[in-house]
Amino acid sequence: MRRFKQQIPESEVKDILKKATNGVLCLTDYEDRPYGVPMSFIYDGYGSIYFHCALTGRKIECIIHNPNACFTIIDQDDIHPEEFTTYFKSVIVEGIIKIIKDRNEMIDALRLLSTKYSPGINCEPEIEKGIDRVLILKLEIDSISGKEAIELTKKRNQD
C-alpha cells in the first residue's frame, strides 16, 4: 500500500469483512479481459470467502481460465463536497478462487450464507432443495488490505 498511514488495522478489516453484505469479484476472462461482478458473500473468519452462484456463466468460465481473483468491498463512501473529498473505507482481498465440489463443504458454506442473510430462518429445506442447482466458490485469501481516507485516520488517531 502506497499510503501506509491510511491503512486500516487488521482487526477492523476483519470486522468489515464480517459485516459487509456485498462487494465486487474481479476476474479475467479467456481473452484476458477484466470482468467484475457484484456478489454477496460470507467471510468464514479463518482465511476464506464463500460465494454462491449459478452452475454456468461467464464467471465460471473466467475461474476455469484463471483462478486468480480480487474482491473489493466499499464499507464507507461519504462525499464531502465542501472539502472536495470523500471519507471512504475499503477492503481489497486477493487470492485463488476454487469451485467447491465437496457436498459437505457446500452445505456448510450455504449455512453460513443463510445465517448471515436470513438470520433466524430454518435454511435446511432451502439448501436441500437448491444444492444441486448452485455452485459454491471459495476465495482462499492470500492478502487483505484496508484503506481509509486520511481524515478518518486522523480522527482515529485523536480518539
Side-chain angles (χ1 to χ4, degrees), residues 58-94:
R58 185 173 179 193
K59 180 172 36 274
I60 304 309
E61 292 170 8
C62 290
I63 291 167
I64 291 168
H65 166 72
N66 182 351
N68 292 300
C70 178
F71 186 60
T72 302
I73 298 161
I74 297 173
D75 181 58
Q76 181 177 334
D77 185 33
D78 298 330
I79 299 170
H80 290 256
E82 69 285 353
E83 298 176 46
F84 299 96
T85 195
T86 302
Y87 290 15
F88 69 90
K89 285 186 185 183
S90 61
V91 172
I92 297 175
V93 177
E94 296 177 324

Side-chain angles (χ1 to χ4, degrees), residues 4-151:
F4 65 91
K5 290 181 182 177
Q6 293 175 254
Q7 187 169 351
I8 298 172
E10 183 178 346
S11 61
E12 187 173 340
V13 167
K14 289 183 178 183
D15 287 342
I16 291 169
L17 285 173
K18 289 175 187 173
K19 74 174 183 173
T21 58
N22 61 72
V24 178
L25 179 63
C26 301
L27 306 164
T28 306
D29 73 11
Y30 62 92
E31 293 178 349
D32 292 327
R33 294 180 304 181
Y35 177 61
V37 59
M39 301 281 293
S40 54
F41 71 100
I42 186 71
Y43 171 61
D44 71 358
Y46 302 105
S48 297
I49 293 174
Y50 290 93
F51 310 91
H52 75 290
C53 64
L55 297 172
T56 60
R58 185 173 179 193
K59 180 172 36 274
I60 304 309
E61 292 170 8
C62 290
I63 291 167
I64 291 168
H65 166 72
N66 182 351
N68 292 300
C70 178
F71 186 60
T72 302
I73 298 161
I74 297 173
D75 181 58
Q76 181 177 334
D77 185 33
D78 298 330
I79 299 170
H80 290 256
E82 69 285 353
E83 298 176 46
F84 299 96
T85 195
T86 302
Y87 290 15
F88 69 90
K89 285 186 185 183
S90 61
V91 172
I92 297 175
V93 177
E94 296 177 324
I96 302 295
I97 195 160
K98 298 178 178 181
I99 299 169
I100 299 303
K101 306 278 189 198
D102 179 77
R103 189 174 181 89
N104 289 330
E105 187 173 3
M106 290 176 67
I107 290 169
D108 289 345
L110 288 168
R111 285 178 178 149
L112 288 172
L113 285 159
S114 296
T115 299
K116 180 176 182 176
Y117 293 97
S118 300
I121 298 173
N122 178 11
C123 62
E124 298 303 321
E126 190 67 23
I127 290 173
E128 189 58 38
K129 182 173 78 172
I131 189 83
D132 295 323
R133 296 188 319 265
V134 67
L135 280 183
I136 300 298
L137 307 175
K138 179 181 184 179
L139 177 57
E140 295 177 343
I141 299 171
D142 290 332
S143 68
I144 303 174
S145 62
K147 184 178 175 183
E148 64 187 359
I150 193 68
E151 295 82 2

Side-chain angles (χ1 to χ4, degrees), residues 7-9 12 89 148 151-159:
Q7 187 169 351
I8 298 172
E12 187 173 340
K89 285 186 185 183
E148 64 187 359
E151 295 82 2
L152 297 174
T153 302
K154 289 176 182 176
K155 184 177 184 308
R156 176 196 313 278
N157 292 337
Q158 289 173 355
D159 292 344

